Amino acid sequence: MRKILIVGAGQSGLQLALGLQSKGYEVTLMSNRTADEIRSGRVMSTQCMFHTALEHERDLGINFWESQAPKIEGLGVSVAAPDASRAVDWVGKLDGYAQSVDQRVKMAGWMETFAQRGGQLVIHGAAVSDLDYFSRTYDLVLVSAGKGELVSMFGRDASRSPYSEPQRALAVAYVHGLGPRPEHPDYDAVRCSLVPGVGELFVMPTFTTSGRADILFWEGVPGGPLDVFQGVKDPSEHLALTLELMEKFTPWEYARATKVELTDAGGTLAGRYAPTVRNPIGRLPGGGLVLGVADVVVANDPITGQGSNSASKCAASYLASITEHGDRPFDEQWMQGTFDRYWDTAQHVTKWTNAMLGVPPEHVLNLIGAGGVLQPVADRFANGFNDPADFENFFYEPEKAEAYLASVSGA
Ligand SMILES: Cc1cc2nc3c(=O)[nH]c(=O)nc-3n(C[C@H](O)[C@H](O)[C@H](O)COP(=O)(O)OP(=O)(O)OC[C@H]3O[C@@H](n4cnc5c(N)ncnc54)[C@H](O)[C@@H]3O)c2cc1C
């Protein structure tokens, strides 16, 4: 059977490894950390995944935490007014529920499953020189190492990467003890609070190493009042800062957060990165080729919560391209075609996410405002998180937005 090496055991690498393994491929998975190190380490994401991405996991029968993880049935948006009241406030209902399973739980569990099923798991932080050798001994080498150093092998695609600097400073805290949402306490939802010119707060339920928890996630405009987490090493100081900023900018969310405690010492994360699309094929010094997967080739800012969703969609798309290719060589043409097929979906995520990072034009403000009075607008916006291609139909161009709002108001 064909031999495939996957470097990087995150959402895309593990999903692809388990998928290929189930189809009889001889898969080697290389990870720079053991399952135990991942499980007891620091949180990596907020990893909220919507229906389509979750379906890809269900298709492979690897949705092991579905019954334990909170079912996220809505997505709400609030916009802060200058006096810190809520100028806009609505919750859209998702057609299929979303879920967030802490990547520490999921990646550690999937890695153990892969090994138990006979997969070859190698704990090693791969360097470019290793890949040179492996590209000669495997039929295909896939690099799914996220935003780590291996991305240097893949050139930046400037035509698809409008930003060369990070657009948000990120600060995440996993907590126990958050109170229910005041507006719709009968079901779980992701809450996005937009603070114009300052940044965004996301609050969402998750399933972590200690069970159900909630995540408080600030996205701050660099250099602004939320960009204060760099250099904060103490997790309790990180949480105190998070809450202080919530009290100042989003008091409606702070009101239910006064009793929270961190889930664990690894429950905080801070950082930033520039959203970047890369050329999908890496050329090794010895002439071998490797194919980049998910964040390696398309890394978007988490403002739209799409990276894990995209990683799942990329893994599913690559799995189909690999199996459909049969015994033919995984050459450069196949690699480019495989990426192009994924880009058909990914381009919509990149376009929408980059748009959300900029200052919203008037027609977008109108759309967001309309969600408060027209429930179908709120619902459509929420379901766009599952399928961002739909934003093409009503979001980017003022004429389409107006026509859509007119059609909904008329109805
Ligand atoms: C703060 C934050 C919040 C986010 N929130 C969301 C959200 O709500 N929803 C969503 O969909 N996405 C979200 N994302 C994005 C999402 O987490 C990522 O896009 C997703 O995990 C990417 O998957 P991946 O498989 O490409 O890489 P990763 O999940 O990053 O996995 C890469 C793996 O490779 C390993 N690795 C790195 N270098 C090497 C090496 N040299 N050798 C071997 N192994 C290596 C890493 O340790 C890691 O385990 C968020 C991201 C951040 C930072």
Side-chain angles (χ1 to χ4, degrees), residues 75-79 87-93 183-184 187 191 194 362-383 391 394-395 401 404-406 408-409:
L75 186 138
V77 172
S78 300
V79 180
V88 172
D89 183 36
W90 49 256
V91 184
K93 204 82 202 265
E183 61 280 16
H184 286 283
Y187 64 90
R191 293 275 350 191
L194 316 180
E362 198 182 332
H363 71 275
V364 169
L365 294 176
N366 290 343
L367 275 172
I368 293 175
V373 281
L374 298 166
Q375 189 58 35
V377 178
D379 294 345
R380 187 160 186 188
F381 201 91
N383 284 293
F391 288 113
F394 72 102
F395 185 82
Y404 169 58
L405 288 182
V408 179
S409 317

Side-chain angles (χ1 to χ4, degrees), residues 7-13 30-33 44-48 103 124-126 144-146 150 170 172 217 269 273 293-295 302 305-309 311:
V7 180
Q11 175 72 37
S12 65
M30 200 171 274
S31 168
N32 56 0
R33 287 185 300 165
M44 295 169 270
S45 179
T46 63
Q47 71 271 312
C48 183
Q103 288 188 341
H124 175 67
S144 50
L150 288 180
L170 317 174
V172 170
F217 172 25
L269 173 73
Y273 57 89
V293 189
D295 265 15
Q306 292 295 306
S308 302
N309 290 274

Side-chain angles (χ1 to χ4, degrees), residues 9-11 14 32-35 37-47 101-108 111 147 170 172 174 208-209 215 217 266-271 273 295 302 308:
Q11 175 72 37
L14 273 159
N32 56 0
R33 287 185 300 165
T34 65
E37 283 166 350
I38 291 173
R39 197 179 277 117
S40 61
R42 183 176 284 283
V43 295
M44 295 169 270
S45 179
T46 63
Q47 71 271 312
V101 175
D102 185 343
Q103 288 188 341
R104 296 180 297 181
V105 173
K106 189 195 275 186
M107 301 320 152
M111 218 189 232
K147 295 175 281 286
L170 317 174
V172 170
Y174 280 47
T208 184
T209 48
I215 306 175
F217 172 25
T268 61
L269 173 73
Y273 57 89
D295 265 15
S308 302

Side-chain angles (χ1 to χ4, degrees), residues 363 367 391-407:
H363 71 275
L367 275 172
F391 288 113
E392 283 292 347
N393 302 318
F394 72 102
F395 185 82
Y396 301 110
E397 291 148 45
E399 301 74 30
K400 286 189 183 172
E402 278 162 31
Y404 169 58
L405 288 182
S407 72

Side-chain angles (χ1 to χ4, degrees), residues 75-225:
L75 186 138
V77 172
S78 300
V79 180
D83 66 354
S85 65
R86 278 190 276 188
V88 172
D89 183 36
W90 49 256
V91 184
K93 204 82 202 265
L94 293 166
D95 293 339
Y97 59 79
Q99 290 194 306
S100 163
V101 175
D102 185 343
Q103 288 188 341
R104 296 180 297 181
V105 173
K106 189 195 275 186
M107 301 320 152
W110 277 358
M111 218 189 232
E112 286 163 351
T113 300
F114 173 76
Q116 279 156 12
R117 292 177 178 174
Q120 177 90 26
L121 179 64
V122 178
I123 303 302
H124 175 67
V128 174
S129 51
D130 300 321
L131 299 187
D132 225 341
Y133 169 76
F134 290 126
S135 71
R136 288 188 289 274
T137 51
Y138 284 86
D139 294 310
L140 174 64
V141 176
L142 297 162
V143 181
S144 50
K147 295 175 281 286
E149 283 163 21
L150 288 180
V151 296
S152 61
M153 269 191 299
F154 303 85
R156 177 171 179 270
D157 182 342
S159 68
R160 290 171 171 171
S161 309
Y163 301 113
S164 51
E165 299 294 328
Q167 298 300 300
R168 291 292 187 275
L170 317 174
V172 170
Y174 280 47
V175 296
H176 287 306
L178 186 75
R181 290 182 298 116
E183 61 280 16
H184 286 283
D186 55 326
Y187 64 90
D188 278 314
V190 176
R191 293 275 350 191
C192 322
S193 295
L194 316 180
V195 188
V198 173
E200 300 81 19
L201 174 74
F202 296 85
V203 180
M204 73 190 80
T206 191
F207 178 73
T208 184
T209 48
S210 49
R212 194 206 146 104
D214 287 278
I215 306 175
L216 312 175
F217 172 25
W218 273 118
E219 285 242 341
V221 172

